[in-house]
Amino acid sequence: MRIPLSRRAVLAAASAAAASALLPRRAVAASKAKIKIGLLLPYSGTYASLGNNITDAMKLAATEHGGRLGGREIEWVAVDDESDPAKAPANVNKLVVGEKVDILTGPVHSGVAMAMMQIVRQEKTLTIVTNAGAQALTGSLCAPNVFRTSFSNWQTSFPCASVMLKDGRKKAVGMFWNYSFGQESMSAFREGFTKGGGTIVKEIPVPFPTTEFQANLSEIASLKPDAVFVFFAGAGAAKFIKDYAAAGLMEKIPLYGSGFLTEGVLGAAGAAADGIKTTLHYADGLDLPANKKFREAFKKATSREADVYAVAGYDTIHLLAQALDKVQGDTSAPKDLIAALESAKTDSPRGPFRFGKTHNPIQNVYVRQVKGGRESVVGTAQKDADDPAFGCAMAT
Ligand code: PHB
C-alpha cells in the first residue's frame, strides 16, 4: 500500500534537495568516499624490488599527510603487472574499468606503460607514471591526463655520453635489455656519443629479462673498447655487475650507464660495483636536507635503503596531496585537478622538481660514482634537464 506523503514531508524533502544542490560540490566530495589509488607495479620478477620501493615510499608519503589526500582517506588497489606487456591490457582494465580507480600510478616497465597508454588516453584516467621512461609517454603519446614523476630515458642516458667522452673514452660497446626502454637508452646515448666524436664499436641487445651474460662478456673482452655503456636494472643489474667483475673486466674496461645500473643493487653487488660511473636525476649521497629526512624515514619504515624508485613514489604522493588539497578532494572536475597538478612543486629528495609542458619532470641530472658501497655525487651532468618531448603537441 502506498502511504501518501504529508505535505510537510514533501516540503522538507524538497528543501533538503535544494540545500544540497546549493552545497559546493567540493564540500560534498571531501566528505565522501575514500580516494582510490591504483598501483600497477611489478611485485614479482627481476623488477620486484623496484615495485616494492615505489609502493612503500608512496605509503610513507601518505602517512606524512595523515593518511588523507584532499581530506579523503586512501584506498590502495595494487596489481602485480609482472613487467609483462602482454598482460598489461588486462591488468590496466582491472584497475581502470573494474576497480574504477580515481588515479592510476605505475608502472616500472616501459612496454607495460605503452599498453597502459592506449587505455588511459581513451578512458581519460588521471595517470601518474612512477618509473617507466619510454619517450612516447610524454612525447608522441602525451596527454593532458598523463603525468610522469620519474624521468624520460633521454634525460638519464644522453648525458652519460659526454661524461664518458670527458674521461677520454672514445670507443664504446653498448649492452642493454632489448625492449623499448633499452633501445631508446641506447639511441639517446649513441646520439650524444657520436655527435661528440665517439664511435660505437658494437651494440649488444639482450632479451628481457635474460641474465645469461657470459658469451657477451667474452665478446666484449675481445673487442677491447675503451668503455661499456649499459642498461640493466634491478636483480638483473646486480647479476651483470658481479659477472662483469668476475670476468676480470672491471679494471680493464670501465662500466658506465644510466644510473639504473647501480640503483638499489649496491648491497647485492657488493665491492664489484666500486668505481662505476653513471648519470641519473638522483643519488643517495645528495647533500640536501629533504634527502636526508626522506632516507631516514624510509629506512625507519622499511629497514631498507631508499633509491631512485622510492623517490618517485614519495614525490608522486606529495604532489598529488598538494593538487588534491587545492581542489578539496574533488576528482570529478578533471580540468581543475590537472591544472592543480601542473602547478604542484615539491622539495624532492632529488633536488628541485617541477613539471614541464608535457608533464615530464624538469630536474637536475647528476654524475655519480660508486665509492665504498655508496653512490656519491661527483658533478652535475645537466642542470634543470628538460626532455626534448619529440612529437608532443602540448610542448608548443
Ligand atoms: C623502463 O622499462 O622504463 C625501466 C625499467 C627499469 C628501470 C628504468 C626504466 O630501472
Side-chain angles (χ1 to χ4, degrees):
M1 195 180 86
R2 261 184 89 210
I3 302 169
L5 285 174
S6 72
R7 190 176 146 71
R8 184 187 289 247
V10 170
L11 280 179
S15 78
S20 88
L22 288 177
L23 258 184
R25 186 162 38 96
R26 287 194 174 142
V28 176
S31 67
K32 76 162 203 236
K34 292 181 178 177
I35 188 159
K36 245 192 199 189
I37 305 212
L39 298 95
L40 176 74
L41 287 168
Y43 298 109
S44 57
T46 200
Y47 288 160
S49 65
L50 287 61
N52 285 322
N53 273 11
I54 293 171
T55 306
D56 289 349
M58 286 173 83
K59 292 188 174 166
L60 169 65
T63 58
E64 291 176 4
H65 288 278
R68 284 173 182 270
L69 299 177
R72 292 167 67 179
E73 262 183 70
I74 305 169
E75 180 179 346
W76 307 98
V77 192
V79 164
D80 179 5
D81 70 24
E82 302 172 48
S83 296
D84 187 346
K87 294 183 183 160
N91 285 332
V92 174
N93 274 325
K94 243 185 243 170
L95 291 168
V96 169
V97 182
E99 292 284 346
K100 298 198 174 20
V101 296
D102 295 297
I103 293 146
L104 180 66
T105 67
V108 162
H109 188 287
S110 278
V112 172
M114 294 297 280
M116 173 193 81
M117 284 301 276
Q118 289 196 354
I119 299 169
V120 300
R121 278 165 59 95
Q122 196 177 319
E123 298 292 326
K124 309 252 184 301
T125 315
L126 182 62
T127 301
I128 305 188
V129 177
T130 51
N131 182 73
Q135 218 51 53
L137 310 186
T138 54
S140 57
L141 292 177
C142 74
N145 57 310
V146 177
F147 288 75
R148 174 153 59 187
T149 50
S150 49
F151 53 86
S152 74
N153 74 64
W154 193 92
Q155 287 182 312
T156 57
S157 298
F158 181 84
C160 192
S162 59
V163 172
M164 232 194 228
L165 289 166
K166 270 192 209 131
D167 285 351
R169 321 228 176 253
K170 300 225 155 51
K171 266 180 16 180
V173 164
M175 196 168 161
F176 52 95
W177 265 328
N178 194 19
Y179 73 92
S180 50
F181 187 77
Q183 293 153 2
E184 289 181 355
S185 297
M186 187 67 226
S187 102
F189 172 78
R190 188 195 310 118
E191 184 194 333
F193 198 64
T194 51
K195 267 190 194 153
T199 311
I200 309 274
V201 187
K202 173 122 197 187
E203 295 184 10
I204 306 176
V206 178
F208 176 82
T210 300
T211 53
E212 288 310 316
F213 303 122
Q214 287 312 328
N216 306 127
L217 295 181
S218 308
E219 190 182 7
I220 290 172
S222 66
L223 285 167
K224 295 194 177 57
D226 298 336
V228 178
F229 170 83
V230 180
F231 166 66
F232 297 111
K239 165 93 169 35
F240 178 80
I241 292 169
K242 283 197 276 188
D243 286 2
Y244 197 83
L249 292 175
M250 207 60 98
E251 302 80 35
K252 292 188 205 137
I253 310 170
L255 266 190
Y256 291 75
S258 53
F260 309 112
L261 179 62
T262 53
E263 275 306 290
V265 306
L266 292 183
D274 249 35
I276 298 177
K277 251 190 199 175
T278 57
T279 45
L280 200 69
H281 51 286
Y282 178 68
D284 50 16
L286 268 180
D287 190 14
L288 300 168
N291 189 35
K292 287 192 182 131
K293 175 179 162 257
F294 161 68
R295 295 196 66 85
E296 273 166 27
F298 187 83
K299 182 94 194 248
K300 197 165 163 216
T302 64
S303 306
R304 301 194 303 274
E305 293 295 336
D307 55 15
V308 72
Y309 310 108
V311 171
Y314 188 72
D315 288 347
T316 297
I317 292 299
H318 281 306
L319 291 159
L320 255 182
Q322 252 179 62
L324 283 162
D325 283 350
K326 203 164 180 180
V327 299
Q328 294 164 30
D330 184 1
T331 43
S332 70
K335 275 202 176 141
D336 294 356
L337 183 51
I338 286 169
L341 202 48
E342 280 172 337
S343 63
K345 290 195 176 62
T346 184
D347 189 13
S348 169
R350 72 184 95 176
F353 175 110
R354 68 196 146 97
F355 286 115
K357 282 187 184 151
T358 67
H359 297 171
N360 192 67
I362 297 178
Q363 54 194 345
N364 295 337
V365 176
Y366 307 99
V367 185
R368 311 114 43 89
Q369 190 165 28
V370 182
K371 291 182 184 164
R374 251 182 95 74
E375 199 73 79
S376 48
V377 182
V378 293
T380 303
Q382 219 166 328
K383 215 173 154 32
D384 289 334
D386 201 349
D387 179 80
F390 309 112
C392 172
M394 299 195 310
T396 52

